[in-house]
Amino acid sequence: MPASRPIWKGQIRLSLVSIPVELFSAASTSAKPSFRQIHEPTGKPIHYEKVVAGVGPVDKDEIIKGFEYEKGDYVLLTDDEIDAVKLETRNTLELTQFVGACEIDPIYYDKSYFVVPTDELAEDAFRVIRDALRKTQKVGIGQLAMRGKEYLAAIKPSGTGLLLETLHYEDEIRKADPFFSQISSKKAEDDLLEVAEALIEKKTAPFEATAFKDHYQTALRELIKRKMKNKGRKITADEDEEPARPSGSNVVDLMAALKESLEGGGTKKKAAPRKKAS
C-alpha cells in the first residue's frame, strides 16, 4: 500500500454490488520547486493574519463561514451545520451511467485519482468492474462528495486498478463562442491541408510521457543550485535574443515551410524566413 494517505474512503456501488475503495491523488505536487514569500531586508518568511477592518487580528475560533446573499449581508453557517448536510455521495460513488470512452469532451476533465480496493475481500468485485469496463470500452459516471464539494466523476480501467477523474459540471465550462467568434469559418486550402496532413502522419507515434520533460522546472532547479553555490549573491541570467517578427517584406511562405518541415523530418531547426515575392 502506498505511503500517502487516502483523500477519500468509501464505496463504489453498481446496482446491488458495493466495493470498499480508497482514493489517492495521481499527481505529485512535490515534484516542482515551491516558493515562500520572504521579507528581503530581514530574510524572514512572511506570515498572514486574519484581520477584520476596525478590529484587527482575530482568533481562529471566532471565524465561521458566511454566504453573501446580498452586498454586505451574509447567512452565517457553523462547521457543524455544514457537516450535518446529508449526502449519500459522501460515502458512496454510485455508477449511474456508462458512456463510450471517447464520448467525454476533454474540456470536462479536471483531476485524476487512483482507485484501490481496501482489502483482498473487495478485490474480487473490484476486478469484475475493472475488466467489464475494459472489455466494453466504457467509462462509469457517478458523483462523490469530498473536501466540501460534490464532484462529477468518471471511472475507467488503469493497469490493474481503476482511475477516477473528476469532471467539471456544465455550468463551470465557459462558452467558446466569445473566444472563437472572430475566427473565420473559411476552410484551409486543399494543397496546404494535404502537406500538413502528411507532416502530421510522419510525426505520429505512440504517446510516451517519459519522452517529455519540464524544461522550465529543470532550469529553475539549476538556477537554485547556482544561487546556493554563489551563497545567495545575485545572478544575472543570460538574455536570449528576441526573434525577429515577420513583416510585410519578411514573411514565411506557408507551403514552402510545410514542405521543408516534411522533408526535414524530426529536426528542431526552424526554417529560415523566405521573402515574399513582390
Side-chain angles (χ1 to χ4, degrees), residues 25 28 36 49 55 59 81 91 100 131 156 187 203 207 209 211 243 271 273:
S25 179
S28 172
R36 291 282 304 275
E49 290 183 316
V55 177
D59 235 12
E81 287 172 326
N91 300 307
D131 294 349
K156 62 180 71 173
K187 302 291 184 183
K203 290 180 174 288
F207 174 69

Side-chain angles (χ1 to χ4, degrees), residues 123-194:
E123 277 191 34
D124 287 339
F126 185 90
R127 279 193 293 268
V128 171
I129 299 297
R130 178 200 65 198
D131 294 349
L133 288 172
R134 181 171 281 131
K135 192 169 183 179
T136 58
Q137 297 186 356
K138 300 293 184 183
V139 173
I141 304 294
Q143 290 176 279
L144 82 161
M146 61 179 178
R147 295 177 172 176
K149 182 179 177 182
E150 187 173 52
Y151 293 87
L152 182 62
I155 293 247
K156 62 180 71 173
S158 178
T160 58
L162 290 171
L163 187 69
L164 181 145
E165 295 183 89
T166 55
L167 305 173
H168 294 291
Y169 287 100
E170 177 65 27
D171 59 2
E172 294 177 325
I173 301 296
R174 289 180 174 178
K175 300 299 181 185
D177 292 350
F179 301 95
F180 296 160
S181 60
Q182 298 302 313
I183 303 174
S184 169
S185 58
K186 182 181 176 183
K187 302 291 184 183
E189 295 177 17
D190 289 343
D191 54 346
L192 292 172
L193 190 59
E194 185 179 342

